[in-house]
Amino acid sequence: MTRRIRMAVPNKGRLKEPSTALLRQAGLVFEQTDRALSVPVRNVDLELLFVRTEDVCEMVADGVAELGITGLDLLTETGADLEVISELNYGRCRLTAAVPNASPVRELAEFDGLRVATSHPRTTAAFFEKEGVAVTTIALRGSVEVAPKLDVADAIVDLVSSGSTMKVNGLRPVANLLESQAVLISPHDVNGEVGALVAQMATMLTAVVAARRKRYVLMNAPAAALDVIENIIPGFDAPSVVTLAHDPDKVAIHSVVDANDVWTVLPKLKEAGASGILVLPIQQLIA
Ligand code: AMP
């Protein structure tokens, strides 16, 4: 019998919903309750372990799970020697050093001698040491941004996505330590049967991430416009071109376009003579 593998997945917080959505889009069928820690996947030999985002690295490092989804910032912070199999393109944020608006500090070197509050003490200490700047790190689990107001610290290092929380708390960013996003992780040394299952899962999840950045575009066009249209949408290798059954002067063209480019590409296609243009989402994509 095939050995069932385990994947540690965030059970709350910012990465919970997008991680569950990713697993479902990859075709995994499971029921999620608020209480169950361990949930079997019905159609794959996989068990999902719903744990705190910050515990995912430990679960994988300890061999409890062969795969995990967590933030790159947390992997860096734990210092666990694990492999990042795939970047998942959500949960994007940056670890940023900031000071109160009134502070005279404008650059990193001026952090010398400051008390820096952070929930990422290890990453912060390593960063400033590498920069040759002596700081005292103050480890806090939350509410890092209020530490300067309470005179617990002179500066902070905290996660930022839009930057509005820092602004509201009267803080000014000075430098970025790390760019983070959700990642799929596993130990380096999984091989054999388990390794094959881990690779399979990685392929399926990576295919969803790749697909989200693309759209499938179909259209009809005059055969004479094919060259112009091929230049607008090159596709992976080249677009697929099919002659229409009852109109030899027209072709159907299928191609894959970057999701970000769709709005600039469509008017150009129309101008080139394309009609009946359809834009479809792609479920999974393996290039
Ligand atoms: P949680 O504390 O469970 O909501 O998850 C925190 C994780 O979400 C962090 O470790 C990051 O990987 C990710 N994240 C993405 N954007 C942000 C943000 N603006 N603030 C904090 N965490 C973020």
Side-chain angles (χ1 to χ4, degrees):
M1 203 186 95
T2 320
R3 149 104 156 71
R4 181 170 271 190
I5 59 167
R6 295 199 187 110
M7 184 187 306
V9 185
N11 69 347
K12 54 176 137 179
R14 287 166 199 266
L15 302 186
K16 177 190 169 185
E17 293 304 331
S19 300
T20 308
L22 172 68
L23 298 176
R24 292 202 195 281
Q25 196 181 338
L28 302 184
V29 179
F30 58 95
E31 271 155 38
Q32 194 183 4
T33 67
D34 278 341
R35 273 172 298 152
L37 164 75
S38 153
V39 174
V41 175
R42 286 214 213 119
N43 55 338
V44 181
D45 273 326
L46 176 72
E47 191 178 342
L48 300 174
L49 300 181
F50 287 96
V51 299
R52 285 156 52 118
T53 313
E54 59 208 73
D55 292 338
V56 168
C57 290
E58 202 160 307
M59 291 279 183
V60 179
D62 291 351
V64 178
E66 290 82 10
L67 283 162
I69 293 179
T70 191
L72 180 62
D73 59 301
L74 294 171
L75 175 62
T76 309
E77 181 61 20
T78 58
D81 184 19
L82 298 171
E83 189 163 336
V84 173
I85 304 186
S86 172
E87 295 180 330
L88 301 176
N89 200 27
Y90 59 83
R92 282 187 183 276
C93 55
R94 47 198 192 278
L95 195 58
T96 299
V99 293
N101 284 329
S103 165
V105 170
R106 296 277 150 192
E107 53 188 65
L108 267 183
E110 296 170 80
F111 272 65
D112 202 66
L114 297 190
R115 298 165 301 161
V116 182
T118 181
S119 53
H120 292 68
R122 199 183 159 125
T123 313
T124 301
F127 174 81
F128 280 105
E129 196 180 324
K130 196 163 143 251
E131 293 289 320
V133 178
V135 299
T136 305
T137 52
I138 294 163
L140 297 179
R141 301 213 79 173
S143 306
V144 170
E145 62 281 354
V146 297
K149 264 188 228 155
L150 303 174
D151 197 27
V152 176
D154 311 299
I156 68 159
V157 165
D158 203 9
L159 291 173
V160 180
S161 36
S162 71
S164 58
T165 308
M166 279 208 176
K167 219 174 192 168
V168 164
N169 284 287
L171 295 161
R172 168 167 45 83
V174 177
N176 287 331
L177 283 68
L178 178 82
E179 296 284 337
S180 182
Q181 61 177 294
V183 288
L184 180 68
I185 54 171
S186 91
H188 290 294
D189 54 358
V190 276
N191 36 42
E193 203 180 356
V194 172
L197 281 170
V198 166
Q200 234 176 54
M201 277 310 305
T203 301
M204 295 302 276
L205 296 189
T206 308
V208 172
V209 176
R212 286 175 173 173
R213 298 173 194 261
K214 302 286 182 182
R215 296 290 179 270
Y216 194 64
V217 179
L218 305 90
M219 75 208 82
N220 291 337
L226 191 54
D227 282 353
V228 178
I229 289 180
E230 267 187 339
N231 278 330
I232 302 169
I233 44 160
F236 274 120
D237 299 318
S240 308
V241 180
V242 186
T243 315
L244 292 188
H246 302 295
D247 190 347
D249 295 333
K250 271 192 152 183
V251 287
I253 303 170
H254 298 199
S255 191
V256 173
V257 171
D258 277 351
N260 286 335
D261 294 343
V262 165
W263 296 106
T264 49
V265 161
L266 290 195
K268 288 186 198 161
L269 292 174
K270 188 165 181 280
E271 202 177 312
S275 60
I277 306 171
L278 303 180
V279 180
L280 307 180
I282 302 173
Q283 188 77 9
Q284 275 160 297
L285 188 157
I286 299 175

